[in-house]
Amino acid sequence: MERRTEEAARRWLADQGVRQVGDGWVSDERPDVLLTAHQVAQSWAGDVFAEDLDAADRLRLAFGLLGLLDDYWVTCEIRFANESAEGPLPADVLWDGYRQLLEADRDVEAVTYSLWVDWFEDRTTSATAFAEVLGNDIDRVVAEGSEALLRRARRVLECSGPVRWTVKEPTYRTVMRLPALHSAVFRGLLASFHDVYGDLEPAAALALLDQLDLPTNTQHLAQLRHVLAAGHKNRHRSPGAWEAGVRQAEPAAAVVERHLPES
C-alpha cells in the first residue's frame, strides 16, 4: 500500500510538472533550479486537497507525498485540511496512513515529529491519536511482535511524553511483557519527565522503571529514578530537580563503572 501511494504521488507531481532528479527535484517552469523535498512540499502539497477527488483519495495522495518527500510540511497540510471548513478528514484513512508510515523500514522523522508536536502535545487530540497509532491494538502488537509492529510501537513510545499518564499507562504496562520494547518505554518515561508538556505520575512511573530490563549503565537511568523517587512530575515544574539527580547519581555511576568488565 505504501509503495502504491508513493507512486501515485510521484505521478501526480509529474502532472504538475515536477520530477525527481538525483538527490533533488526540478519543475518544468524552472528546469535549471534544483529544488529540495521541503521546497516541493511547500509549493505543491497543499494543492493535493484541491484535487477533484473524494476526501479519502485526496488524503491517501497526501500520505503518498509524505512517504515520497519525508517532509514535515506535508503533515502540516494534512492538519490544515483536517481543521478546515471541509474537514475533518476521514479518520480511518488518516490514522491508517500514520500507522503504515510508522511501520516503514526507513527513517520517518517527519512522521514522528508530527505525531509528537501536532497530535500528542495537543490535549484535545492526544488521547485519540495515541489510541489510534498504538493503544487500540497494543495487545496484537505484543502478541505478534513482528518487526513492522515493533517499529511502530517503538517510535510511538519514544515520543509519547506529552500524552496524559492515564491514557498511556495501560499501554506501557502491556508493553512490559515484551523486553524488546523496554528501552522504548524508558525513553518514553524520560520524555514524560523532560518534555514541556510531559505527563507522568512519579510513583507509578517509578514502579514501571524498576521493572524494565535495561543495562545497568543506561544513560540517565539513575537520574530518572532519583527524581521519580523524590516525587517530581516534570523537569519544568521542578527547577533544579534533575540537576540534583545528576549530582546524586554521579557517585553511584562511578562505582558501577569501576565494576564493569574490561572490553
Side-chain angles (χ1 to χ4, degrees), residues 9-263:
R10 190 183 295 278
R11 290 192 300 271
W12 180 83
L13 281 175
D15 290 341
Q16 316 310 307
V18 181
R19 64 188 188 281
Q20 192 167 19
V21 178
D23 294 331
W25 299 80
V26 295
S27 70
D28 289 348
E29 292 183 357
R30 301 184 66 186
D32 57 329
V33 177
L34 193 65
L35 304 172
T36 65
H38 180 62
Q39 288 171 316
V40 173
Q42 284 198 311
S43 296
W44 283 278
D47 294 345
V48 166
F49 293 100
E51 284 293 314
D52 186 20
L53 300 168
D54 65 31
D57 285 339
R58 287 196 294 267
L59 181 53
R60 291 188 185 97
L61 188 57
F63 272 113
L65 274 183
L66 179 55
L68 189 63
L69 300 174
D70 189 32
D71 189 85
Y72 171 66
W73 187 256
V74 183
T75 71
C76 294
E77 294 291 357
I78 291 173
R79 181 163 47 89
F80 297 155
N82 188 61
E83 296 171 355
S84 72
E86 291 75 28
L89 297 171
D92 57 339
V93 181
L94 175 66
W95 296 117
D96 188 55
Y98 268 93
R99 287 190 295 268
Q100 286 190 39
L101 287 170
L102 287 164
E103 292 177 8
D105 185 15
R106 56 187 172 85
D107 180 69
V108 290
E109 183 179 356
V111 179
T112 53
Y113 185 72
S114 168
L115 199 60
W116 168 34
V117 301
D118 294 330
W119 299 99
F120 287 173
E121 286 193 346
D122 185 341
R123 287 299 174 91
T124 67
T125 60
S126 63
T128 296
F130 185 80
E132 290 286 355
V133 295
L134 187 61
N136 287 345
D137 69 341
I138 188 59
D139 288 318
R140 181 174 73 90
V141 171
V142 172
E144 294 181 15
S146 69
E147 286 301 317
L149 291 175
L150 290 180
R151 275 193 296 271
R152 168 156 60 94
R154 189 174 296 114
R155 286 163 168 165
V156 173
L157 291 167
E158 289 177 356
C159 65
S160 64
V163 179
R164 288 194 303 274
W165 181 253
T166 53
V167 171
K168 65 192 175 188
E169 183 186 18
T171 298
Y172 280 18
R173 291 191 177 281
T174 301
V175 166
M176 297 298 290
R177 306 201 307 260
L178 202 59
L181 291 175
H182 281 201
S183 291
V185 173
F186 171 71
R187 286 190 284 274
L189 292 173
L190 197 62
S192 298
F193 183 77
H194 283 284
D195 193 288
V196 173
Y197 301 98
D199 190 52
L200 57 72
E201 288 300 326
L206 181 60
L208 283 178
L209 185 65
D210 288 339
Q211 296 174 54
L212 294 176
D213 184 12
L214 300 170
T216 306
N217 61 336
T218 296
Q219 189 176 21
H220 304 312
L221 175 58
Q223 296 95 313
L224 183 58
R225 181 174 284 118
H226 174 81
V227 294
L228 294 178
H232 298 293
K233 292 186 174 185
N234 184 277
R235 179 175 187 169
H236 302 276
R237 294 192 289 274
S238 298
W242 182 256
E243 290 72 19
V246 171
R247 291 192 296 272
Q248 182 78 15
E250 281 174 350
V255 171
V256 169
E257 186 173 350
R258 286 200 300 271
H259 288 83
L260 288 175
E262 295 182 1
S263 56

